[in-house]
Amino acid sequence: MVTDAVAHPADAAVPGGAFDLGPALLFCPADRPDRFAKAADRADAVVLDLEDAVAPHAKDAARRALVEASTRLDPRRTVVRVNPVGTPEHALDVAALADTRLRTVMVAKAGPELLTSLGALAVTLPGVRVLALCETAAGVLAAPELARRPEVVALMWGAEDLVASLGGTSSRRPDGSYRDAARHARAAVLLAAGAVGKAAVDAVHLDVGDLDGLRAEAEDAVASGFAATACIHPSHVPVIRAAYAPTPDEVAAARALLDAAASNPGAVFTHEGRMVDSPVLRHAEAVLRRNRA
């Protein structure tokens, strides 16, 4: 009998094997320390944002608030989004983090510049775990190289900055679906991460009240292989969690399939009228990994 408590030998190599956050990552402005604990309680991990969520005049105060609160934050479940490499704010962000226990850093607008600065970042923040946010055209093209760096544990993509970097005005069509450039970037980042066994994080859904649209995107994300989905509102967390959690029927079907495979070792076989080979078994194993998580 196969159970979801039994690890598969390939587990260590699956995409997301070194990524232990998610499935719901909730952004919180770093200049709102009154929200830090609530955001951490609501989500699987909190992303304290020193970049777009904080006005330029408030960034110094946000850094001070983050450092002051850092002793009360769980470093295992806290990510800090820092400003892009090459900006004065990036250097200030990293210097502030050096005085904390926080070592999981999301680098905004990651691109070729990040590749040349990862070594210095690892010196300033020993043990740093980097989530590279590929949200520009240059960042998407650099995703394969970023994913190969040992400091990088995951890639994420973003639609709005991507379209802005292209000179566009909207990432979505009138019906709410992504335009082709955004869809391409999403797939490219997922493939770059998966090719080297790293995790990929799906982008936020900006329409706060559109829970049906969020649900559809989160369900597509998990079916496609994303390890987590980021969000901007607490109401999005349960929707994302539900999308990533397999249903009891899906778990039972996966167990039954792997039980059948145990009776047909190393062979292609038919199960409930469907041909089963190695990729299909890996799909079932993924369901049981999500159930354990």
Side-chain angles (χ1 to χ4, degrees):
M1 174 72 70
V2 175
T3 73
D4 57 350
V6 178
H8 187 273
D11 276 358
V14 297
F19 182 80
D20 52 4
L21 302 174
L25 280 60
L26 178 61
F27 277 92
C28 177
D31 62 346
R32 293 301 305 269
D34 55 308
R35 297 182 182 178
F36 290 179
K38 183 179 292 186
D41 287 342
R42 297 278 184 90
D44 301 302
V46 61
V47 183
L48 302 181
D49 190 6
L50 287 167
E51 197 219 8
D52 284 345
V54 180
H57 71 271
K59 289 187 185 290
D60 284 339
R63 282 186 284 267
R64 290 193 298 270
L66 191 153
V67 171
E68 182 179 345
S70 64
T71 58
R72 302 187 297 275
L73 298 169
D74 183 351
R76 298 167 299 177
R77 297 178 53 245
T78 304
V79 182
V80 180
R81 178 160 77 165
V82 299
N83 285 275
V85 173
T87 65
E89 299 295 346
H90 176 83
L92 293 171
D93 293 345
V94 173
L97 287 177
D99 294 328
T100 75
R101 302 176 299 158
L102 305 178
R103 289 296 180 267
T104 304
V105 177
M106 178 185 292
V107 180
K109 299 176 180 62
E113 302 85 356
L114 177 57
L115 288 166
T116 59
S117 67
L118 281 170
L121 183 63
V123 170
T124 305
L125 303 176
V128 68
R129 289 158 45 90
V130 175
L131 278 71
L133 179 46
C134 303
E135 53 183 340
T136 64
V140 172
L141 293 181
E145 293 179 85
L146 288 166
R148 285 193 289 270
R149 290 297 298 265
E151 303 91 346
V152 173
V153 297
L155 301 181
M156 181 175 160
W157 79 287
E160 304 313 317
D161 280 298
L162 170 69
V163 170
S165 78
L166 295 171
T169 58
S170 174
S171 68
R172 294 182 186 266
R173 298 186 177 94
D175 65 1
S177 62
Y178 279 122
R179 297 184 188 278
D180 289 347
R183 292 175 60 237
H184 172 82
R186 183 177 188 250
V189 169
L190 175 62
L191 290 169
V196 292
K198 300 289 179 72
V201 178
D202 203 14
V204 300
H205 192 79
L206 289 179
D207 188 340
V208 173
D210 180 25
L211 298 185
D212 289 338
L214 169 66
R215 182 177 298 105
E217 286 181 8
E219 289 174 351
D220 180 77
V222 67
S224 298
F226 282 93
T229 293
C231 59
I232 58 171
H233 194 273
S235 65
H236 288 191
V237 171
V239 177
I240 293 169
R241 284 176 171 165
Y244 276 80
T247 67
D249 286 347
E250 289 172 331
V251 172
R255 288 174 176 163
L257 179 59
L258 294 176
D259 284 345
S263 302
N264 295 272
V268 174
F269 64 98
T270 300
H271 177 70
E272 296 183 350
R274 181 187 184 193
M275 189 199 80
V276 177
D277 58 4
S278 178
V280 176
L281 296 178
R282 290 167 64 190
H283 295 171
E285 291 161 357
V287 170
L288 297 189
R289 281 195 300 272
R290 285 194 287 118
N291 190 53
R292 289 197 301 273

